[in-house]
Amino acid sequence: MANFHDLTLYVLRHGECEHNALGVVAGQNDSPLTERGREQARVNGERLGDIVGDLSGFDFFASALHRTASTMEIARASAGLSPTGYRADRRLMEIDCGDNTWRRWADITTDAEKEPVWHRARWDYHHPGGESFHDLNNRVRAFLETLTRDSVIVTHAGPFRAIRGLFLGLTSDDVLRYNAPHAGIMRLSGSKEEYFGD
Amino acid sequence: MPALQDLTLYVIRHGECEHNLAGRAASWDDSPLTSNGREQARNNGRLLKDVAGNLSDFDFLASPIHRTCNTMELAREAAGLPPTGYRADRRLMEIDFGDHTWLTLDEIRALSPDLPGLDDSGDWDFVRPNGESWAHLHDRVARFLPNLTRNAVIVTHYGPARSIRGHYLGLTPAQTKSYKPPHAGIMRLSGGTETYFSD
């Protein structure tokens, strides 16, 4: 079993969705990619082909939710690959926001600020009936430990942060501060990050 | 808020996927619809339009996993509707198989020798390691159903389709488990009874 720190990972977020445009948190619900989101996925696929060249040595993984699997299929097609040659893995799903699913982030924050844990360690704040970032980080680590080859990973904002943090060995504050873009690709290789985008 | 039995629900399972052919439990993982599965989804959409007629009064809800959303979009398109006019709801996801995810039944038995027999209600309360039991799933579906305010078309998985039927008809766990939702065909729950439609 490879140590994932020795691998090269290309990490992509799903393209923009209707819930992103509405400003609500979808969590493990879903909404369709917007036309803009589909275009972001196409451009990211072309970009991936340009950066990597030969993708035959890579494994491809997506979150099993519709927006990420759709992004993966669009990106693979535009990189000249068969759309469905990837594995969908539940551990790459977005954080389970529980009762906060489909609420506005500002409203979630207003409620969360009433709880001491939010001020002590946001990392440990549990969405009511859902997960904490700590929970998410643990399942993403379990996923990364199963990787055996260089990989392309299509996931969500939360797991994107976790992958970057685990790969680079970041503090929880630095993990949570990062905002993953819909367009663009993160390469994690040799203990360094490099961002490819417009 | 209408009582559940006052609503008409059309319940559709996702089309056949590669993991179904391989005998694997995808649970919260996923695999692509086969070409047969895509055709089942389109046929179910045409069948829905034939059976229900005017679909404009219906809400459309799917599990947010890729195979069910794909099935929903193919079915809506075949029924003459815009593909994406539906809501995805996490409570319609398949049972969480935890460490049994992506395993075959033989592999599951090797990992969990204490797994009860599957042909009756014996495994109803068996909690999959780091996952759910059928009873957990049944409760999760019970929390989803009161959110329905209108007649609805629901695209989901094997387990939740059984549970929706069980709640609607007021069945025991054994009766709930006795139904085997097909990839092709539609179940209508209306006026307190069930009706099945297929080609």
Side-chain angles (χ1 to χ4, degrees), chain B residues 1-115:
Chain B
M1 187 75 75
L4 181 60
Q5 283 75 12
D6 293 337
L7 298 175
T8 294
L9 307 181
Y10 289 95
V11 182
I12 302 175
R13 187 181 171 201
H14 62 81
E16 175 194 77
C17 294
E18 291 179 5
H19 69 268
N20 299 126
L21 291 181
R24 295 189 176 278
S27 181
W28 289 17
D29 281 8
D30 194 61
S31 77
L33 291 168
T34 63
S35 57
N36 186 32
R38 301 177 72 83
E39 191 54 29
Q40 290 165 334
R42 283 188 286 260
N43 280 340
N44 278 342
R46 285 188 282 266
L47 197 54
L48 178 67
K49 186 173 168 46
D50 288 347
V51 174
N54 183 4
L55 288 162
S56 61
D57 288 340
F58 282 77
D59 285 334
F60 286 75
L61 297 148
S63 151
I65 299 287
H66 192 45
R67 60 191 179 276
T68 33
C69 289
N70 267 340
T71 299
M72 173 65 98
E73 292 173 13
L74 289 166
R76 281 182 58 93
E77 205 157 31
L81 300 167
T84 59
Y86 67 95
R87 275 291 299 275
D89 194 298
R90 56 205 285 275
R91 291 164 297 188
L92 292 170
M93 282 199 230
E94 184 55 289
I95 182 176
D96 180 357
F97 255 35
D99 298 343
H100 289 170
T101 302
W102 209 251
L103 302 184
T104 64
L105 185 53
D106 286 346
E107 289 166 345
I108 289 171
R109 286 198 189 288
L111 192 68
S112 296
D114 54 334
L115 184 73

Side-chain angles (χ1 to χ4, degrees), chain A residues 48-100:
Chain A
L48 183 66
D50 290 345
I51 298 166
V52 183
D54 181 9
L55 285 160
S56 62
F58 282 76
D59 285 334
F60 287 73
F61 296 97
S63 146
L65 293 174
H66 188 46
R67 59 193 185 272
T68 33
S70 297
T71 297
M72 172 65 99
E73 292 174 12
I74 294 168
R76 280 183 58 93
S78 75
L81 302 167
S82 68
T84 60
Y86 67 95
R87 271 294 303 277
D89 194 300
R90 60 206 293 273
R91 293 167 297 189
L92 291 171
M93 279 194 214
E94 185 52 290
I95 189 168
D96 180 352
C97 294
D99 299 340
N100 283 331

Side-chain angles (χ1 to χ4, degrees), chain A residues 13-125:
Chain A
R13 187 178 171 200
H14 61 82
E16 180 196 72
C17 294
E18 290 179 5
H19 69 269
N20 300 127
L22 286 170
V24 300
V25 175
Q28 293 185 353
N29 279 11
D30 201 67
S31 78
L33 293 168
T34 62
E35 196 42 57
R36 185 169 173 224
R38 303 181 73 84
E39 182 60 20
Q40 289 165 336
R42 276 190 287 271
V43 170
N44 263 350
E46 287 168 16
R47 186 178 278 135
L48 183 66
D50 290 345
I51 298 166
V52 183
D54 181 9
L55 285 160
S56 62
F58 282 76
D59 285 334
F60 287 73
F61 296 97
S63 146
L65 293 174
H66 188 46
R67 59 193 185 272
T68 33
S70 297
T71 297
M72 172 65 99
E73 292 174 12
I74 294 168
R76 280 183 58 93
S78 75
L81 302 167
S82 68
T84 60
Y86 67 95
R87 271 294 303 277
D89 194 300
R90 60 206 293 273
R91 293 167 297 189
L92 291 171
M93 279 194 214
E94 185 52 290
I95 189 168
D96 180 352
C97 294
D99 299 340
N100 283 331
T101 302
W102 214 255
R103 297 182 71 205
R104 292 178 176 282
W105 184 246
D107 297 335
I108 295 174
T109 307
T110 301
D111 286 349
E113 281 173 347
K114 296 169 189 159
E115 297 191 37
V117 65
W118 181 262
H119 304 281
R120 194 172 64 241
R122 265 183 65 188
W123 185 267
D124 291 321
Y125 165 74

